[in-house]
């Protein structure tokens, strides 16, 4: 049997752009994606710590080194520039493996620079 667990998380990144004219998704700096083991087109949950909204969307690759977090299309109505959000990805693993599994949690500062990993 498999269970769904948290794979990785960008904890407390800040929205740098909100683009209603796009059809949907979130654009994430490729450096941040690499750090959190995220992939273009991957399904992610976004929890907005500023206003409490939660949405599910997919990732588009942003410019490496830009530190951009851009909410696109319908996702843009759930977060404003400057909002603090958490980006979570999940995976399916064997039930026994889940007993000792530890997710990857990336910590950033207010400019979306990577400052470390959270040990869980």
């Amino acid at each position: 049997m498999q269970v769904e667990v948290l794979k990785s998380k960008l904890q407390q990144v800040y929205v740098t752009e909100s683009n209603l004219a796009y059809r949907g998704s979130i654009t994430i700096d490729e450096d941040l994606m690499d750090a959190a083991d995220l992939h273009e087109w991957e399904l992610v949950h976004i929890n907005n710590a500023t206003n409490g909204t939660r949405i599910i969307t997919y990732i588009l690759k942003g410019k490496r080194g830009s530190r951009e977090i851009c909410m696109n299309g319908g996702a843009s109505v759930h977060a404003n520039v400057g909002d603090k959000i958490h980006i979570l990805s999940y995976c399916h693993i064997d039930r026994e493996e889940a007993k000792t599994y530890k997710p990857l949690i990336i910590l950033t500062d207010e400019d979306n620079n990577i400052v470390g990993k959270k040990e869980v």
Side-chain angles (χ1 to χ4, degrees):
M1 179 186 300
Q2 298 235 310
V3 294
E4 188 171 14
V5 297
L6 179 66
K7 178 187 78 156
S8 61
K9 178 180 180 182
L10 283 170
Q11 184 167 315
Q12 295 187 165
V13 291
Y14 291 84
V15 176
T16 60
E17 187 179 346
S18 186
N19 181 3
L20 184 59
Y22 192 81
R23 289 188 178 207
S25 73
I26 183 170
T27 303
I28 303 173
D29 173 327
E30 196 171 359
D31 286 338
L32 293 169
M33 289 174 59
D34 289 348
D37 189 27
L38 298 172
H39 307 277
E40 189 164 40
W41 311 112
E42 184 173 354
L43 179 83
V44 288
H45 292 232
I46 301 169
N47 300 340
N48 189 322
T50 301
N51 68 22
T53 62
R54 294 172 176 252
I55 63 166
I56 299 170
T57 192
Y58 61 92
I59 299 171
L60 292 177
K61 202 181 301 184
K63 182 180 176 190
R64 189 175 292 283
S66 66
R67 300 299 177 252
E68 78 175 308
I69 301 291
C70 179
M71 304 296 284
N72 300 308
S76 72
V77 300
H78 298 283
N80 296 310
V81 171
D83 281 4
K84 182 184 348 179
I85 63 172
H86 308 291
I87 302 169
L88 303 96
S89 70
Y90 297 86
C91 65
H92 292 90
I93 62 174
D94 181 76
R95 186 173 155 180
E96 286 303 310
E97 182 184 355
K99 292 177 181 178
T100 58
Y101 178 80
K102 304 288 185 216
L104 174 61
I105 300 176
I106 302 299
L107 305 173
T108 61
D109 64 15
E110 51 280 336
D111 295 316
N112 294 337
N113 294 303
I114 298 165
V115 297
K117 297 178 184 178
K118 183 176 182 179
E119 299 297 324
V120 291

